[in-house]
């Protein structure tokens, strides 16, 4: 007589550590089913590091069996560790005839050939791998299932052990009068990994996973660890919108559903079929500080492209186009929601008499302070104490911190709200653009840059003003202090120096103190004077990158003469032997308002970036010559500031732009832009014409 060694018998015995021998007469005859697959492959499919994922998969199995009530029970040991996990449902169960098929191979699931359950609900599983996920919950697994078979209602028990994941023991089916359904039990694996099931995150993951399904089938009930999964109780706001995306010249339509939660959730993007059943899950990959949300993308062809999201947005799959479109939609949505959220929260505080400001701001400085307060306060409002009097005191404290001691706000928030690390990370991400220690000064900096671009446009494009702007004594000096226009990564090395000194500075950066004392001349023997030289290091390639800028006054129309001048600077670098072994990149820019037709045509050569006249490679270095217009330079700078412009809602007027010039660059302005001192004004700083945002800087 054969004997079968299993773990325990009753529930109490099953928790024991010593196996006992059970005779076949005690359990009924058993037959062994061997899974035809490599054991390491089965181990990978089990994903034993992800117990929450295993619970989700087993719940989906129950839903695919038309269950209306699913109960997930977690038993704990005396020390609080997870001891046993049970998932019970009232679904159709597995028939005795179907048990062997269900457990003998991977793939080939009956679901693969159907799209709906017997009850007409959408199917989730297709790969026939769900049962293997149970190994993530315990060393010993037991399925007890009751279903209507050929011989009527039959109960069948299937057992397995992780020491031999490929083997399943199927007992003889016995008649029963009980209702249909399946109970999955897992035990014997006390591990810290299983403790994830008792964390708040487990409930949030289940809530976001099954929210669309439970909304579609409200009679279905999922109970997890004693509490019902109820997405409606924690949904803060929902949005649903159709989006169009293009692939291979054809337009496709999908639905993007966004659910904002009143709880902490992982930001996931669920790729679903047209009925909302998830096919894959990927990362949202957008910034939306202060929002806890899940995105569901519903597309009728999603099941045909399972796994395509892993290739990323660079692939040729239609899922790549869909992901790009979805993320663009999300960015636009949360830009609007950030403004709405702030207003909603502030209006609630005002209505309740908690808002620490009474009247409207009367100055630009007060306006900036108010906006700063609203951003910070609305971001952390969910973590504020509930009693109204405590909220009022907290808001008053935050106001004083923002106004007088912004560098202490982070410490105060930490003490008052005890933010989690994730919350602080979100707040830090928001305030990286306007850092907490200098948030108002950063706001001023952004506004100043927008003002300067407006001022630069006025100086180089206004027909009357550009006649008055001088190249070296005015425009050059102003841009010397605004080099960010040419790129944030550059720093000014020299200004208005001979080409010889420019190259000296280059070799000095490289530690070449033994440079030849002979000067570098242009082809005609003259010593060139360049306007600005900017530099940056590119350590990943062990190279130096230099930008030499030749500015032309806005009234100058450049042509072949000016082009030859900038080319001569470049040629001097190429032909000088002392630079032959230096790894460097040189870009020479000729910046102008207008150019001749011939020069414009040369700047638009096929096969080169727009504006590139030369692209030379000699030995270890590269030399490029560009012709750029003031219009291109300003547009590129505006593009880098577009996010901030939208965020701060600041579109400077000509008056604000001129005020900025008067404050920051007064000594270099044409007379027409210098204000006449008012009566009683004794200094020449143009103090009365300061940009309104500059007052905000005095707050820090």
């Amino acid at each position: 007589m054969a004997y079968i060694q299993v773990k325990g018998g009753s529930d109490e015995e099953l928790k024991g550590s010593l196996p006992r021998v059970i005779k076949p007469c005690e359990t009924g005859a058993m037959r062994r089913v061997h899974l035809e697959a490599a054991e390491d492959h089965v181990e990978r499919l089990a994903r034993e590091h992800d117990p929450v994922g295993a619970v989700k998969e087993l719940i989906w199995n129950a839903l695919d069996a038309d269950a209306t009530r699913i109960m997930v029970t977690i038993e704990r040991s005396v020390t609080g560790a997870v001891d046993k996990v049970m998932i019970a449902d009232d679904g159709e169960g597995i028939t005795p005839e179907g048990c062997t098929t269900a457990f003998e191979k991977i793939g080939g699931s009956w679901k693969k050939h159907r799209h709906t359950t017997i009850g007409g609900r959408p199917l989730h599983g297709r790969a026939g791998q769900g049962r293997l996920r149970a190994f993530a919950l315990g060393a010993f697994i037991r399925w007890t299932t009751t279903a209507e078979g050929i011989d009527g209602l039959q109960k069948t028990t299937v057992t397995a052990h992780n020491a031999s994941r490929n083997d399943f023991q199927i007992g003889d089916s016995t008649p029963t009068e009980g209702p249909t359904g399946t109970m999955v039990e897992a035990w014997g694996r006390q591990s810290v990994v299983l403790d994830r099931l008792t964390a708040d995150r487990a409930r949030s993951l289940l809530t976001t996973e099954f929210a669309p399904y439970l909304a579609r089938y409200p009679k279905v009930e999922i109970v997890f660890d004693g509490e019902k999964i109820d997405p409606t109780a924690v949904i803060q706001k929902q949005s649903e919108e159709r989006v169009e995306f293009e692939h291979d010249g054809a337009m496709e339509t999908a639905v993007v559903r966004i659910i904002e939660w009143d709880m902490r959730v992982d930001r996931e993007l669920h790729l679903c079929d047209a009925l909302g059943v998830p096919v894959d899950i990927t990362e949202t990959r957008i910034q939306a500080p202060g929002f806890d949300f899940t995105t569901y993308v519903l597309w009728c062809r999603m099941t045909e492209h399972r796994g395509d999201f892993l290739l990323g947005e660079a692939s040729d799959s239609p899922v790549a186009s869909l992901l790009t479109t979805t993320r663009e939609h999300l960015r636009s949505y949360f830009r609007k929601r950030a403004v709405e959220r702030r207003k909603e929260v502030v209006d609630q505080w005002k209505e309740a008499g908690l808002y620490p400001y009474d009247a409207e701001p009367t100055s630009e400085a007060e306006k900036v302070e108010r906006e700063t307060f609203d951003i910070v306060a609305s971001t952390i409002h969910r973590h504020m104490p509930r009693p109204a009097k405590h909220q009022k005191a907290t808001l008053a404290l935050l106001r004083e911190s923002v106004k007088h001691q912004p560098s202490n706000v982070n410490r105060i928030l930490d003490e008052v709200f005890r933010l989690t690390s994730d919350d602080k990370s979100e707040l830090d991400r928001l305030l990286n653009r306007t850092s907490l220690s200098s948030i108002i000064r950063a706001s001023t900096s952004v506004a100043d840059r927008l003002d300067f671009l407006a001022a630069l446009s006025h100086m180089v494009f206004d027909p009357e003003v550009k006649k008055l702007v001088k190249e070296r004594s005015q425009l050059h000096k102003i841009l010397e202090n605004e080099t960010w226009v040419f790129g944030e990564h550059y720093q000014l090395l020299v200004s208005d120096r001979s080409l010889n000194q420019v190259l000296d500075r280059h070799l000095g950066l490289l530690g070449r103190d033994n440079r030849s004392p002979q000067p570098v001349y242009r082809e005609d023997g003259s010593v060139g004077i360049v306007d600005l030289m900017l530099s940056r290091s590119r350590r990943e390639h062990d190279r130096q990158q230099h930008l030499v800028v030749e500015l032309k006054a806005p009234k100058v129309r450049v042509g072949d003469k000016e082009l030859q001048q900038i080319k001569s600077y470049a040629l001097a670098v190429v032909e000088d032997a002392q630079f032959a072994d230096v790894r460097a990149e040189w870009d020479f820019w000729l910046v102008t308002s207008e150019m001749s037709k011939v020069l414009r045509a040369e700047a638009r050569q096929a096969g080169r970036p727009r504006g590139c006249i030369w692209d030379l490679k000699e030995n270890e270095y590269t030399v490029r010559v560009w012709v750029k217009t003031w219009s291109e330079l300003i547009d590129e700078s505006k593009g880098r500031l577009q996010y901030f412009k939208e965020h701060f809602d600041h579109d400077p007027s000509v008056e604000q732009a001129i005020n900025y010039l008067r404050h920051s660059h007064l000594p270099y302005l044409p007379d027409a832009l210098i204000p006449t001192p008012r009566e009683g004004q004794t200094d020449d700083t143009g103090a009365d014409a300061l940009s309104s945002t500059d007052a905000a800087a005095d707050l820090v």
Side-chain angles (χ1 to χ4, degrees), residues 264 379-385 416-420 423:
R264 294 293 301 167
T379 300
I380 50 87
H381 78 282
R382 290 180 301 163
H383 308 280
M384 293 174 61
V416 174
F417 305 113
R418 293 294 180 183
L419 300 178
T420 66
D423 291 334

Side-chain angles (χ1 to χ4, degrees), residues 29 31 94-97 99 145 154-157 170-175:
R31 66 183 185 279
I94 308 173
T95 65
E97 301 80 25
C99 279
T145 182
Q154 298 279 315
K155 177 187 288 187
T156 309
T157 300
I170 303 177
D172 283 348
S173 301
T174 57

Side-chain angles (χ1 to χ4, degrees), residues 340-506:
E340 292 173 3
R341 166 76 65 81
R342 197 176 310 143
K343 187 177 184 305
E344 290 168 2
V345 172
V346 170
D347 286 346
Q348 291 173 5
W349 286 333
K350 288 180 178 179
E351 187 176 340
L354 305 177
Y355 195 61
Y357 297 92
D358 296 326
E360 292 299 313
T362 58
S363 68
E364 191 67 20
E366 289 183 1
K367 182 181 178 182
V368 172
E369 178 195 331
R370 190 79 55 91
E371 290 174 351
T372 300
F373 172 84
D374 290 349
I375 290 173
V376 177
S378 60
T379 300
I380 50 87
H381 78 282
R382 290 180 301 163
H383 308 280
M384 293 174 61
R386 294 297 180 186
K389 63 179 182 179
H390 293 167
Q391 287 192 31
K392 188 170 185 177
T394 301
L395 291 172
L397 175 64
L398 187 58
R399 173 193 174 179
E400 293 304 308
S401 300
V402 169
K403 184 173 183 178
H404 299 295
Q405 293 180 309
S407 61
N408 291 337
V409 171
N410 193 35
R411 180 178 57 82
I412 292 172
L413 291 179
D414 191 42
E415 292 295 324
V416 174
F417 305 113
R418 293 294 180 183
L419 300 178
T420 66
S421 59
D422 288 340
D423 291 334
K424 284 187 283 190
S425 176
E426 291 293 341
L427 183 58
D428 286 342
R429 191 177 300 170
L430 169 68
L431 299 179
N432 277 340
R433 280 106 179 131
T434 50
S435 67
L436 210 53
S437 63
S438 58
I439 187 168
I440 297 175
R441 195 178 298 278
S443 302
T444 303
S445 174
V446 171
D448 283 351
R449 289 192 174 193
L450 293 171
D451 288 347
F452 175 71
L453 290 177
L456 185 59
S457 297
H458 185 64
M459 292 173 64
V460 300
F461 297 131
D462 185 274
E464 298 301 320
V465 176
K466 72 177 186 179
K467 296 178 184 177
L468 307 173
V469 177
K470 298 176 181 178
E471 179 184 321
R472 292 197 180 277
S473 61
Q474 294 175 347
L475 188 59
H476 177 107
K477 293 297 183 183
I478 291 172
L479 285 168
E480 189 176 304
N481 295 304
E482 304 279 0
T483 56
W484 60 269
V485 170
F486 304 104
E488 298 287 353
H489 43 271
Y490 286 109
Q491 59 179 343
L492 181 65
L493 283 184
V494 293
S495 173
D496 201 11
R497 301 291 179 85
S498 72
L499 179 61
N500 191 58
Q501 291 170 303
V502 166
L503 299 178
D504 249 339
R505 289 300 304 272
H506 166 64

Side-chain angles (χ1 to χ4, degrees), residues 247-383:
H247 180 68
D248 285 344
M251 297 303 297
E252 299 272 1
T253 301
V255 172
V256 176
R257 181 181 300 162
I258 305 169
I259 297 182
E260 298 176 39
W261 304 100
D262 190 20
M263 64 175 181
R264 294 293 301 167
V265 299
D266 290 359
R267 288 182 179 175
E268 296 177 329
L269 198 158
H270 292 236
L271 303 174
C272 309
D273 63 18
L275 298 177
V277 176
V279 175
D280 276 315
I281 298 178
T282 186
E283 299 173 346
T284 305
R285 294 183 190 171
I286 70 156
Q287 293 186 1
F291 290 93
D292 288 298
F293 65 94
T294 307
T295 305
Y296 305 88
V297 183
L298 285 67
W299 182 39
C300 59
R301 294 176 51 206
M302 196 72 78
T303 54
E304 303 170 21
H305 300 278
R306 187 184 300 268
D308 280 8
F309 81 91
L310 294 171
L311 300 177
E313 295 178 36
S315 74
D316 293 331
S317 166
V319 174
S321 300
L322 178 54
L323 286 173
T324 299
T325 300
T326 299
R327 286 170 178 143
E328 289 173 355
H329 174 74
L330 288 173
R331 292 184 185 99
S332 175
Y333 174 84
F334 281 106
R335 276 197 295 267
K336 296 175 183 176
R337 283 292 295 134
V339 177
E340 292 173 3
R341 166 76 65 81
R342 197 176 310 143
K343 187 177 184 305
E344 290 168 2
V345 172
V346 170
D347 286 346
Q348 291 173 5
W349 286 333
K350 288 180 178 179
E351 187 176 340
L354 305 177
Y355 195 61
Y357 297 92
D358 296 326
E360 292 299 313
T362 58
S363 68
E364 191 67 20
E366 289 183 1
K367 182 181 178 182
V368 172
E369 178 195 331
R370 190 79 55 91
E371 290 174 351
T372 300
F373 172 84
D374 290 349
I375 290 173
V376 177
S378 60
T379 300
I380 50 87
H381 78 282
R382 290 180 301 163
H383 308 280

